[in-house]
C-alpha cells in the first residue's frame, strides 16, 4: 500500500499542531513538526538550537539547509512509517523541492496539501492566547505574531501554487470547533 504522506499547511496559529495530534492517531502516521524539532534543539541547548532561537524569537524563518537536514534525518529514521504528517514544513520553495526529491526517490510522494485557512485577526487572537501559557517568546508579543503572519504571506503561502500545479492543493476552512475542523480534514483525506 502506498504511504499517506500529507503536508498540513497554514499560517502560524491556524491549528496545524492541534489537528496533527488527531490525524496521527486516526491514521497511525508519524508527526514531523519542524517547529517542535527546533524547540527540542533549543531546550537541549545544542549549537543548532542556540542559532535557531534568535531567529524564531524574532519571527523569522530558520535557514533552509537546517530544517531540510532535520527532516531528512527523521524520514530516514522512520522507514517503517505508514506515512508522515509534515507540520510547518515546507515553508519555502527550496524546502518544497527538497521534500519532493527525498520522497520521489522512494516513490512515496506527497498525496495532498491540506491548507487550513484562518483570517489574520483570528490568528493574532489565538497566538496571544497560547502566549499566556506556552511561554513562547514568538507568541507573546503581538508585533512578532504579526511579523510571522507577514513572513508566511510573503514566503510560505506561494507554496499553494506549487502544490496546485501538482493537483494536490486542498483548502480547508480552519475556523470552527476542533472537531468540526478534524471532520473537514478527514473528509478531504477521504
Ligand atoms: P511552528 O512551531 O510551526 O509554529 P506555528 O506556525 O505557530 O504553528 P503551531 O502548529 O504551533 O500552532 P497551531 O496552529 O496548532 O513554527 C514556529 C517557528 O519555528 C517559526 O516561526 C520559524 O521561526 C521556525 N520554523 C518552523 N518550521 C520552519 C521551517 N520549515 N523553515 C523555517 N523555519 C521554521 O495552534 C496555535 C494556537 O491556536 C493554539 O493555542 C491552539 O490551541 C489554537 N487553536 C488551534 N485550533 C483552534 C481552533 N479551531 N479554534 C481556536 N483556537 C485554536
Amino acid at each position: 500500500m502506498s504511504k499517506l504522506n500529507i503536508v498540513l499547511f497554514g499560517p502560524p496559529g491556524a491549528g496545524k499542531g492541534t489537528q496533527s495530534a488527531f490525524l496521527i492517531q486516526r491514521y497511525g502516521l508519524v508527526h514531523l513538526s519542524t517547529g517542535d524539532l527546533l524547540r527540542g534543539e533549543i531546550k537541549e541547548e545544542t549549537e543548532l538550537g542556540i542559532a535557531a532561537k534568535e531567529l524564531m524569537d524574532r519571527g523569522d524563518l530558520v535557514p533552509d539547509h537546517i530544517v531540510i537536514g532535520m527532516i531528512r534525518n527523521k524520514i530516514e529514521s522512520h522507514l517503517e512509517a505508514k506515512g508522515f504528517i509534515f507540520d510547518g514544513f515546507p515553508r519555502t520553495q527550496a524546502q518544497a523541492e527538497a521534500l519532493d526529491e527525498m520522497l520521489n526517490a522512494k516513490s512515496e510522494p506527497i498525496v495532498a496539501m491540506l491548507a487550513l485557512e484562518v483570517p489574520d485577526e483570528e490568528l493574532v487572537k489565538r497566538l496571544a492566547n497560547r502566549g499566556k501559557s506556552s511561554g513562547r517568546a514568538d507568541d507573546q508579543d503581538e508585533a512578532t505574531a504579526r511579523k510571522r503572519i507577514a513572513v508566511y504571506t510573503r514566503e510560505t503561502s506561494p507554496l499553494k501554487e506549487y502544490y496546485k500545479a501538482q493537483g494536490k492543493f486542498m483548502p480547508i476552512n480552519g475556523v470552527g470547533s476542533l472537531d468540526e475542523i478534524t471532520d473537514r480534514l478527514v473528509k478531504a483525506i477521504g
Side-chain angles (χ1 to χ4, degrees):
M1 217 181 77
S2 60
K3 294 202 177 184
L4 189 58
N5 286 329
I6 292 172
V7 170
L8 190 56
F9 194 77
K16 305 182 294 288
T18 310
Q19 293 297 331
S20 290
F22 294 109
L23 297 179
I24 53 172
Q25 253 195 338
R26 179 164 182 130
Y27 297 101
L29 305 176
V30 172
H31 181 211
L32 291 188
S33 156
T34 38
D36 287 350
L37 292 171
L38 289 166
R39 283 184 289 276
E41 298 280 342
I42 291 173
K43 204 165 164 212
E44 299 288 315
E45 298 183 341
T46 64
E47 207 176 309
L48 190 163
I50 291 163
K53 184 176 188 318
E54 207 185 312
L55 292 163
M56 289 169 74
D57 284 356
R58 284 206 307 250
D60 284 322
L61 294 181
V62 172
D64 287 335
H65 70 274
I66 293 182
V67 283
I68 291 169
M70 287 191 327
I71 286 287
R72 182 172 280 123
N73 290 341
K74 286 289 170 186
I75 291 176
E76 291 306 325
S77 62
H78 288 283
L79 296 174
E80 80 301 341
K82 286 192 205 163
F84 293 101
I85 289 199
F86 296 95
D87 162 3
F89 180 92
R91 265 179 155 95
T92 64
Q93 172 90 11
Q95 292 178 22
E97 287 171 4
L99 182 62
D100 270 353
E101 249 173 62
M102 286 180 239
L103 297 178
N104 291 343
K106 296 172 181 294
S107 303
E108 294 164 0
I110 292 295
V111 296
M113 172 209 244
L114 304 175
L116 291 168
E117 305 202 315
V118 176
D120 287 1
E121 290 315 306
E122 168 73 12
L123 297 172
V124 172
K125 260 193 247 159
R126 288 187 191 179
L127 294 173
N129 251 335
R130 183 172 64 185
K132 287 180 200 152
S133 55
S134 70
R136 278 175 57 172
D138 61 346
D139 284 345
Q140 276 163 357
D141 172 43
E142 184 177 328
T144 310
R146 289 194 184 275
K147 178 172 175 195
R148 287 162 63 201
I149 295 168
V151 168
Y152 166 82
T153 305
R154 191 176 64 237
E155 298 186 42
T156 304
S157 125
L159 291 184
K160 290 180 194 170
E161 297 304 321
Y162 179 90
Y163 286 96
K164 242 182 227 170
Q166 298 187 9
K168 296 174 181 171
F169 169 70
M170 303 181 92
I172 308 283
N173 178 0
V175 180
S177 72
L178 299 188
D179 287 346
E180 280 166 347
I181 296 163
T182 308
D183 284 347
R184 290 174 200 150
L185 290 165
V186 168
K187 275 206 190 91
I189 294 171

